[in-house]
Amino acid sequence: MAWRGWAQRGWCCGQAWAAPGAARSCEELPAALVRPRLLGRRFNFFIQQKCGFRKAPRKVERKSDTGTSGEAYKRSALVPPVEETVFYPSPYPIRTLVKPFFFTVGFTGFAFGSAAIWQYESLKSRVQSYFDGIKADWLDSIRPQKEGDFRKEINKWWNNLSDGQRTVTGIIAANVFVFCLWRVPSLQRGMIRYFTSNPASKVLCSPMLLSTFSHFSLFHMAANMYVLWSFSSSIVNILGQEQFMAVYLSAGVISNFVSYVCKVATGRYGPSLGASGAIMTVLAAVCTKIPDGRLAIIFLPMFTFTAGTALKAIIAMDTAGMILGWKFFDHAAHLGGALFGIWYITYGHELIWKNREPLVKIWHEMRTNGPKKGGGSK
């Protein structure tokens, strides 16, 4: 049965069809497909619900895709339901990639520049901390010690962690925080808008970064964070804390840009989220640097294989998934992250990180000469 009349996005067409169990007002209309007849021709419209982010009274199967391929978008269990959200694919898909491209280049440059300055400040801080530590040790030796101090136990646990584990602890905490935000019903619309990446959305750039810290499924987040924790010590030993953060954040944006390109090229629009693209960069970097290392699957630890073999299998699987259109994972983002990790370990470290000295010198001159020019410092 079809409704008589027609609707446009953003307003209602009067009272809904009064069948038993059907929606009876604008607030209860799911974002379902409406097929009215107009002048003897058949048109498809999506109703944009502006009356609140409410759950539909009954499950309605979507029969069309917001993209141009005409193929129904099958939602993965790892992404939130988007039946009540309308996306707007551009009539000129290539233009959609212009802003994300410049954002990717600009953010990557900003990330590595900030990491170089961070390393400079960190080295200065370590020198000062060394002398402060000598003084603190002397004071602790003459100060009475407190028994059962909770803060002392936390410091002891923290100091027992490796540099890599301490580095990724903040990343894991951010992912857990965003996962909790997904559980707040009133935030669902904003979370889909800013914490899922989709080239058919009106917000294109900021979700490329924010979605890297976003997980809707507990299993998805737990698996990603476990892999990140497992490889944290190796990747930080290879790159260092500052360089690792630059690579990780850049990888999240780059992998999402590759996902954008694939979605625009195939017309298979849909939301993506998760840290998998950035974690694939970490995994690929470690496997490229240590190809003979032994790895195992999380749930099958008895089967081991070399890191080089694992990397080849992952690339082959994600390539097949991208070509065949598998929808459970964002295989384009996985593949983009893996290729970026291989490239960075092979060439990027020499081209980017080892050429940071001019920027560090400029920052050093600003730190040492800047206040003196103002005349306000001693």
Side-chain angles (χ1 to χ4, degrees):
M1 299 292 291
W3 291 352
R4 296 186 180 277
W6 57 286
Q8 289 183 340
R9 185 173 65 249
W11 60 280
C12 297
C13 56
Q15 185 162 352
W17 176 55
R24 298 180 180 276
S25 67
C26 177
E27 292 187 354
E28 298 176 353
L29 289 178
L33 184 65
V34 182
R35 296 184 179 273
R37 288 187 175 275
L38 183 63
L39 300 179
R41 298 182 63 185
R42 208 167 175 84
F43 294 85
N44 293 338
F45 295 90
F46 280 101
I47 296 179
Q48 180 185 11
Q49 184 183 13
K50 287 187 175 292
C51 305
F53 203 89
R54 300 180 58 184
K55 186 177 180 181
R58 60 192 180 96
K59 186 176 180 180
V60 180
E61 182 180 358
R62 296 186 67 178
K63 297 183 180 180
S64 182
D65 176 19
T66 55
T68 59
S69 66
E71 180 184 357
Y73 172 69
K74 298 178 181 178
R75 182 177 70 87
S76 168
L78 304 181
V79 300
V82 294
E83 285 80 3
E84 295 179 333
T85 301
V86 174
F87 299 111
Y88 303 88
S90 172
Y92 307 100
I94 299 300
R95 296 182 183 178
T96 305
L97 301 175
V98 175
K99 286 184 178 180
F101 172 77
F102 285 106
F103 176 78
T104 301
V105 175
F107 180 82
T108 301
F110 173 79
F112 279 95
S114 300
I117 295 173
W118 178 19
Q119 187 185 60
Y120 169 86
E121 295 293 338
S122 179
L123 290 175
K124 291 187 63 176
S125 177
R126 288 175 186 175
V127 174
Q128 184 64 35
S129 298
Y130 173 77
F131 295 103
D132 292 342
I134 296 176
K135 182 179 179 180
D137 291 340
W138 179 77
L139 291 175
D140 289 339
S141 63
I142 63 176
R143 182 183 303 160
Q145 300 295 320
K146 296 181 180 180
E147 297 293 336
D149 189 1
F150 178 74
R151 183 177 179 180
K152 183 178 179 181
E153 295 298 325
I154 295 296
N155 290 334
K156 182 179 179 181
W157 169 80
W158 179 259
N159 293 329
N160 288 332
L161 297 178
S162 66
D163 291 339
Q165 290 171 337
R166 285 197 292 265
T167 302
V168 302
T169 297
I171 298 176
I172 295 174
N175 280 269
V176 172
F177 176 72
V178 176
F179 174 79
C180 294
L181 294 181
W182 276 109
R183 313 271 78 80
V184 181
S186 60
L187 300 179
Q188 292 284 305
R189 184 181 293 274
M191 296 298 292
I192 291 176
R193 185 179 182 88
Y194 294 103
F195 286 85
T196 63
S197 61
N198 190 349
S201 175
K202 286 186 174 181
V203 183
L204 294 174
C205 295
S206 57
M208 297 174 69
L209 174 64
L210 297 178
S211 64
T212 306
F213 299 88
S214 178
H215 296 83
F216 182 77
S217 166
L218 177 61
F219 174 79
H220 188 201
M221 182 186 69
N224 279 342
M225 295 303 101
Y226 177 81
V227 174
L228 179 61
W229 181 268
S230 300
F231 283 87
S232 60
S233 298
S234 299
I235 190 64
V236 171
N237 287 337
I238 294 172
L239 300 178
Q241 183 182 27
E242 299 84 5
Q243 188 180 185
F244 160 72
M245 288 301 301
V247 170
Y248 184 86
L249 295 177
S250 300
V253 175
I254 291 172
S255 61
N256 273 308
F257 179 72
V258 175
S259 175
Y260 276 13
V261 173
C262 181
K263 289 175 182 178
V264 168
T266 60
R268 299 167 183 163
Y269 295 96
S272 300
L273 74 169
S276 302
I279 292 175
M280 284 298 300
T281 296
V282 173
L283 179 62
V286 174
C287 291
T288 302
K289 191 70 174 179
I290 316 174
D292 296 328
R294 305 298 297 182
L295 302 178
I297 302 175
I298 297 177
F299 303 107
L300 299 173
M302 69 289 300
F303 298 104
T304 61
F305 38 83
T306 63
T309 301
L311 182 59
K312 294 176 183 177
I314 290 172
I315 292 177
M317 183 187 69
D318 286 324
T319 302
M322 184 179 66
I323 295 174
L324 299 177
W326 297 345
K327 296 182 180 298
F328 191 76
F329 296 112
D330 191 340
H331 294 280
H334 287 192
L335 185 60
L339 294 179
F340 175 66
I342 296 172
W343 175 84
Y344 188 82
I345 288 296
T346 307
Y347 305 105
H349 176 75
E350 298 286 338
L351 295 175
I352 299 177
W353 191 249
K354 288 194 174 181
N355 292 320
R356 70 190 186 281
E357 291 184 6
L359 175 63
V360 175
K361 288 181 179 179
I362 293 174
W363 180 257
H364 175 73
E365 292 176 359
M366 291 176 60
R367 285 292 309 272
T368 56
N369 301 330
K372 292 181 180 180
K373 292 181 180 179
S377 62
K378 294 181 180 180

